[in-house]
Amino acid sequence: MTADRRRYSAVAIALHWAIALCILSMIPMGLWMSAGIERPESQALAYRVFQIHKSIGFLILGLTVVRIAWRLTHRPPALPRDMKGWEAFAAHATHIAFYALMLALPLTGWLYVSAGWAVAQDRALEVATSWFGLFPIPHLPGVADLPTGVKRALAFQAMGAHSLMAWGATALIVLHVAAALKHQFVDRDGVLSQMIPGLKGGHAAGADRPRAPWAERAVGVGLVAVIAAAGAIAGRPYAQPGLPMTHQAETATPKPATPPAVPEAAVTPGTAAAWTIDSAASLIEFSGTHAGAPFKGRFDRWRGQVWFDPADLAGSKAVVTVETASARTGDPTQEGSLQGAEWFDPAAYPTARFEADRFRALGGDRYEATGTLRIKTTTVPVVLPFTFVEKDGVATVDGRLELDRTALDLGMASDATADWVSRTIPVRIRVTAHRAG
C-alpha cells in the first residue's frame, strides 16, 4: 500500500486482475463446453476445453487463498469519506460474496470431478485431472470409496451448486463493474484508480465517514440476505428433466481389499533359437479414438523372451510382460485415467502378459502366433499375425492385431458403450532382436 493509502499494493492489484481474467475466461468457456461435448463434431475440442477449465479453476482457487491471506495482513485503502453508508456496506458485502464464490466454485467443481458421474448423461464417467498437463491433481479423498448412489447424488448436488453460483458470479461481476464505472464517471471519487494504476485519483479518503441511517443499513442487510438466499438455492439438489434423483438412502458396503498382484508364472523356455530383444529399437504401440479424435500411445517399459526359428515352429515360443503404469499417450489426462481402477489399475495389477506357444507359417516372411493375453484378471485368446525378416543374425518383427477392450474389461464403468473411447484398440509390435550368443 502506498503511503497515502489511496491505492492497493502492487501484489493486491496483480492478484485482482489475474483472478478477474481467469473468471472472465471461465464463463464463456463453461457455457460452450457444456453444449459442445454433446455434439460429435465438437466433442474432441470440448474435451480439451474441459481440461483447461479445470486447470484454470484450480488456479483461481490457489490465487484466491493467496489473495485472502494478503488481504488479512494488509489493510486496503479507505473508501471516500462522502460515500453513503449503504454503498460502503454493499461494497464490503459484494467483496465478501466474491471471496466466497471464488472458493466455492472451484471446490464444487472439484467435488463433481471426484464423484466420477456425468450428470448430462446420468452415468458414471471417471476422468483424471492434471494441472495444465504439468502434474496430476488427485480427487478429493474419500469420494471414490462412496457407494455409487451417493456419488451420483453428490455429482448432481455439486453441479447444481456450481452452475447456479456461476450465474451468481456473473451477476456480481456486472454489479461490480457498474459500481466501479459509477464511481469513476459519476461520483468522480477515484475509487477505480485504487485498482488501476495510471488513473487519476479522486477525493481524499477518510475515516470520518458518517454512519448510515437505519434505512440505508436495511438496504445493505437486504443485499446480504439476497446473497445468502442465492447460496441456499445453490445448495439444493439439481436434476435435469427426465433424470430421477435417488432419494433412498444407500447402505455403504465394505470396499473389498485391494487384490494381490497377479504373480508372474515361470517361463518354460522353447527349444527353438533364442533371441535377445533390442529394447531401444523396439516398441509396443496402441491407438484408437477418444472424444471423436484419434490418439496414439505406447508402453515405455516392457520385456520379452523369444525363442523362434522358421524351421522349428513347434519349438518356438514368446512371452512379453508389459508394465501397464508406463502407458503414455502424450495427454496427461488420458494417462491419469489409464491408471484408474476401471482401466489398467497398475497399483493392483502392475503387469499385463502375452504368451504365445503355437506358430504357423503363412507364406513368405509372414507368420502367425496364437496365445493368450492377460490384463488384470481377464485372459483372452489372441492371434498375432507378424512378419519375420532376418539378416546377419539380426531379426526384425512387425506384428499387428486389434483388441476389444470390452472383452478385456477396460473402461467398462464409464464407457461400456464406447461413446468416448473406441471399442477396438489396434496394437502394433515392432521388435528388433539379435540371436543369443
Side-chain angles (χ1 to χ4, degrees):
M1 193 160 50
T2 56
D4 62 4
R5 293 186 177 180
R6 294 185 184 180
R7 192 181 302 280
Y8 284 93
S9 66
V11 173
I13 292 174
L15 287 171
H16 173 275
W17 290 111
I19 295 174
L21 290 174
C22 288
I23 292 176
L24 290 175
S25 71
M26 293 286 270
I27 295 172
M29 196 183 305
L31 291 173
W32 179 84
M33 69 187 191
S34 298
I37 202 70
E38 300 297 326
R39 298 192 299 267
E41 66 275 11
S42 59
Q43 195 176 64
L45 178 59
Y47 162 76
R48 300 291 180 187
V49 174
F50 261 106
Q51 311 319 314
I52 297 174
H53 188 86
K54 291 191 291 183
S55 295
I56 295 177
F58 281 108
L59 178 60
I60 291 173
L61 180 61
L63 291 176
T64 299
V65 172
V66 174
R67 183 175 178 181
I68 292 175
W70 186 266
R71 171 65 180 82
L72 293 175
T73 55
H74 296 76
R75 289 182 59 190
L79 296 173
R81 65 170 59 93
D82 57 351
M83 179 182 284
K84 296 181 178 61
W86 71 267
E87 287 183 310
F89 192 93
H92 290 307
T94 301
H95 278 83
I96 292 173
F98 263 127
Y99 285 131
L101 287 173
M102 289 186 298
L103 292 173
L105 274 166
L107 289 174
T108 53
W110 195 2
L111 177 59
Y112 174 68
V113 172
S114 301
W117 196 275
V119 299
Q121 294 85 25
D122 195 20
R123 69 178 187 184
L125 182 61
E126 182 70 31
V127 179
T129 300
S130 64
W131 194 73
F132 292 109
L134 299 177
F135 54 84
I137 295 180
H139 293 330
L140 287 171
V143 176
D145 299 333
L146 296 173
T148 300
V150 175
K151 290 195 291 185
R152 177 181 181 271
L154 273 178
F156 275 92
Q157 286 277 78
M159 179 51 66
H162 192 77
S163 301
L164 288 171
M165 285 191 292
W167 286 111
T170 303
L172 280 179
I173 290 171
V174 173
L175 177 64
H176 186 63
V177 172
L181 295 177
K182 172 183 177 293
H183 283 288
Q184 181 66 20
F185 298 107
V186 178
D187 300 336
R188 299 182 182 276
D189 54 15
V191 169
L192 189 58
S193 68
Q194 297 173 351
M195 190 54 74
I196 301 181
L199 280 184
K200 184 179 179 180
H203 301 193
D208 56 347
R209 183 173 57 253
R211 291 174 61 85
W214 286 108
E216 293 177 347
R217 293 186 193 180
V219 173
V221 172
L223 179 61
V224 174
V226 170
I227 295 173
I233 294 173
R236 295 176 57 193
Y238 169 80
Q240 295 186 359
L243 299 182
M245 289 294 295
T246 301
H247 296 287
Q248 297 179 352
E250 181 172 338
T251 302
T253 55
K255 185 178 180 180
T258 301
V262 177
E264 294 295 337
V267 178
T268 302
T271 58
W275 296 83
T276 300
I277 295 177
D278 183 352
S279 300
S282 306
L283 59 83
I284 298 178
E285 296 177 319
F286 57 91
S287 59
T289 59
H290 174 232
F295 70 85
K296 284 188 176 182
R298 69 183 187 280
F299 292 100
D300 282 347
R301 297 188 299 275
W302 58 276
R303 56 191 180 275
Q305 297 170 274
V306 179
W307 299 268
F308 181 79
D309 187 343
D312 185 12
L313 294 180
S316 298
K317 188 172 186 176
V319 178
V320 177
T321 302
V322 178
E323 296 183 29
T324 53
S326 70
R328 300 290 179 265
T329 66
D331 184 320
T333 304
Q334 293 175 347
E335 293 173 1
S337 297
L338 288 175
Q339 309 301 310
E342 64 174 300
W343 290 92
F344 288 133
D345 194 10
Y349 309 100
T351 61
R353 176 167 166 146
F354 168 72
E355 183 169 352
D357 55 7
R358 297 189 304 278
F359 292 80
R360 70 187 184 99
L362 301 179
D365 58 3
R366 297 181 302 115
Y367 299 86
E368 184 179 85
T370 301
T372 58
L373 173 64
R374 187 262 302 156
I375 297 180
K376 295 191 290 188
T377 59
T378 302
T379 301
V380 297
V382 171
V383 177
L384 172 64
F386 66 94
T387 59
F388 174 87
V389 177
E390 180 184 2
K391 183 178 181 180
D392 299 329
V394 178
T396 302
V397 175
D398 193 335
R400 301 170 188 261
L401 74 159
E402 292 186 345
L403 299 175
D404 183 350
R405 66 174 181 82
T406 62
L408 289 165
D409 190 25
L410 295 176
M412 296 305 292
S414 296
D415 194 28
T417 55
D419 293 331
W420 288 94
V421 181
S422 53
R423 182 188 303 272
T424 300
I425 304 297
V427 178
R428 183 182 185 185
I429 302 173
R430 290 192 297 168
V431 173
T432 298
H434 305 265
R435 282 187 178 270

